[in-house]
Amino acid sequence: MIWETKPQLLDLLSRLVSIPSVSGTESEAIFPDLLELELKNLPYFQQNAHHLNVHHSPDGSYLTAFVEKKGTKKTIVMISHFDVVGVEDYGQLKEIAFNVEKLTELYNENPELLPEPFREEFRSGDWVFGRGAMDMKAGIAVQLSLLEKASYGEIDGNLLFVTVSDEEVSSKGMLKAIEEVLRLKEDLGLEYVLCLNTEPSFKVHPHDKNKYMYTGTIGKMMPSFYFAGQETHVGEPFAGLNASLMAAALTMELELNSEFSETIGEERTSALTNLMMRDLKEFYNVQTPTSAVAMFNLLFMEKSPGELTEGILKATHKAANMALEHYREKAELAGVKGLPFTIDVYTWEDLYAEVVKAIGLDEAQALIEATLLAAADEDERGKSLKVVQQFASYIEKKPFIVFYFSPPFYPAVSSRNSEIVQSLASFVKSEISEIQERKFFQGLCDLSYATSSTSEKDAKLLAGNMPLYNNGYTIPFEAIQELDMPVFNLGPYGADPHQKTERLEMDFSFGTLPDLLEKLVQHAFRIS
């Protein structure tokens, strides 16, 4: 056995962390090839090479490794991600950000570099540092340990290991891997009894020392807005309506708006907040901004996309009236007769229909394709905006607002009412009482795409109002419906993901957790 003891797992983790698999880099693309070499150390994959495969595509890379237990079709799918965020936050330490040994030595010698509240916990534990050590290469390491046990026949069912790229950005790896997971299910006649993730336990607050298991994961949508103002010379500000005023009014209405927050038990979603707000002027001049953009981060648990969209549109109309009221009030105070502006609100679906009416369906699709080609260097948010801008140019009457969705969309899922997941949660508590159950993993993860939670109506709403849908971004809702696996997350314990002090606590993560996960999957196979 090569991945069973705490020192062996630390050695494996150090090798995994040393691959700087930052999202969107060459190292991310080659990570599964390097991991394949690790897995080829196991005799099982030397003898069953067809069960170990690396998959590369422009839409995301991933690796699948299947260990078969003869005589059963019951299978647990283990998912993980190998991409990590960048290291600019490390400053002068970024050269050793991927070196577990050197970075750990540095923090041990200079504990004053750690946040003061965590120094006591640090002194009392066994910690290692490095970008990705916590999020989530330690989770990969413990899954490989479990896979190794299965390869020697010690697990009473099949294990399918799936590790993917791009989770930290848009989950392209997982969205691409779904088709392979479904193909294996159909070709091998497998029965998927559980989707197990090993994302790390996330703190609820900075001083939280609890360890958690999760029976679901939070959802995310990105309501986005394009504002077309009525331009004017700054010397005649009341002769137009500033696009930035509309963007500011909507941000004031939506920012931290509690109407969009959810509370389930003791769990609550983070408040709705603005991720981007800016005018779209490309250079300075004395013309008021003709257009602006705003994008928001909206997390949800049980509210439907339809219900949330209804609230967003209601708030948008309210903000439009606020902007007009502000304009009229200021015009009156200035002794100026304002113009009789109205602000129309379009959804992307409305705008698309207007342009199709003007130029035809084929020309509208050609316009999208040409815009995306010209915007090849933009990310998905930028591409979405460029498409909306092009289509908005066909609307003559200004001012107006266009509502649309930017990628990514993460469905909220919960298996807390599943009998198998309830049994697993009870089993974990009986083994280690300190591990607490939470219904939703708050950090966003690929479990969103492992089970069905989005209604056909909501899927249609999302697709119809997302400019990139089927134009470079797609969620395989039908395939997810076919998979529909109960989900469970139990992973390592650490602190400060996405920070320069990202660290992993070894005693639980590589001491307690591997044995607990082995017992967990054995229990899952017994009760399924």
Side-chain angles (χ1 to χ4, degrees), residues 21 23 28 111 156 216 239 252 283 297 349 352 381 410 421 481:
S21 51
S23 305
E28 180 197 30
D156 297 329
M252 285 296 294
F283 50 82
N297 187 73
E349 196 167 29
Y352 183 80
R381 274 62 54 194
Y410 285 84
V421 170
Q481 180 75 41

Side-chain angles (χ1 to χ4, degrees), residues 289-417:
T290 60
S291 58
V293 62
M295 299 181 187
F296 294 83
N297 187 73
L298 176 54
L299 302 178
F300 63 100
M301 294 187 290
E302 291 189 337
K303 289 185 177 181
S304 71
E307 180 183 1
L308 292 166
T309 299
E310 183 179 344
I312 288 288
L313 287 173
K314 181 179 177 181
T316 306
H317 284 283
K318 182 178 179 181
N321 290 331
M322 287 168 53
L324 290 174
E325 184 61 31
H326 178 88
Y327 168 82
R328 292 164 185 155
E329 178 185 327
K330 297 304 181 185
E332 183 177 348
L333 288 173
V336 175
K337 185 178 180 180
L339 297 174
F341 288 123
T342 59
I343 301 175
D344 292 324
V345 175
Y346 296 89
T347 64
W348 166 250
E349 196 167 29
D350 296 333
L351 179 61
Y352 183 80
E354 287 291 322
V355 175
V356 168
K357 189 187 303 182
I359 65 175
L361 182 60
D362 291 343
E363 285 299 316
Q365 187 58 40
L367 179 60
I368 291 177
E369 292 170 2
T371 303
L372 293 177
L373 184 62
D377 293 336
E378 299 273 359
D379 67 10
E380 291 172 333
R381 274 62 54 194
K383 289 176 180 176
S384 299
L385 173 60
K386 293 293 187 183
V387 171
V388 173
Q389 279 183 288
Q390 286 294 326
F391 274 64
S393 67
Y394 285 83
I395 304 298
E396 295 295 332
K397 181 179 173 295
K398 300 176 182 177
F400 61 86
I401 301 171
V402 181
F403 160 77
Y404 63 99
F405 289 116
S406 295
F409 170 72
Y410 285 84
V413 303
S414 177
S415 295
R416 66 184 185 277
N417 296 321

Side-chain angles (χ1 to χ4, degrees), residues 250-258 271-275 296:
L250 184 60
T251 298
M252 285 296 294
E253 177 60 26
L254 291 181
E255 182 72 12
L256 306 180
N257 190 325
S258 62
L272 175 65
T273 191
N274 188 299
L275 286 174
F296 294 83

Side-chain angles (χ1 to χ4, degrees), residues 428-468:
V428 171
K429 290 174 187 175
S430 71
E431 290 288 319
I432 303 178
S433 59
E434 66 176 299
I435 299 178
Q436 299 182 17
E437 178 184 349
R438 290 185 68 82
K439 300 173 182 66
F440 294 90
F441 179 75
Q442 294 289 315
L444 295 175
C445 75
D446 287 333
L447 284 177
S448 282
Y449 307 111
T451 190
S452 177
S453 66
T454 307
S455 70
E456 184 177 346
K457 180 179 179 181
D458 283 333
K460 185 178 180 181
L461 170 73
L462 290 160
N465 286 290
M466 189 177 287
L468 281 198

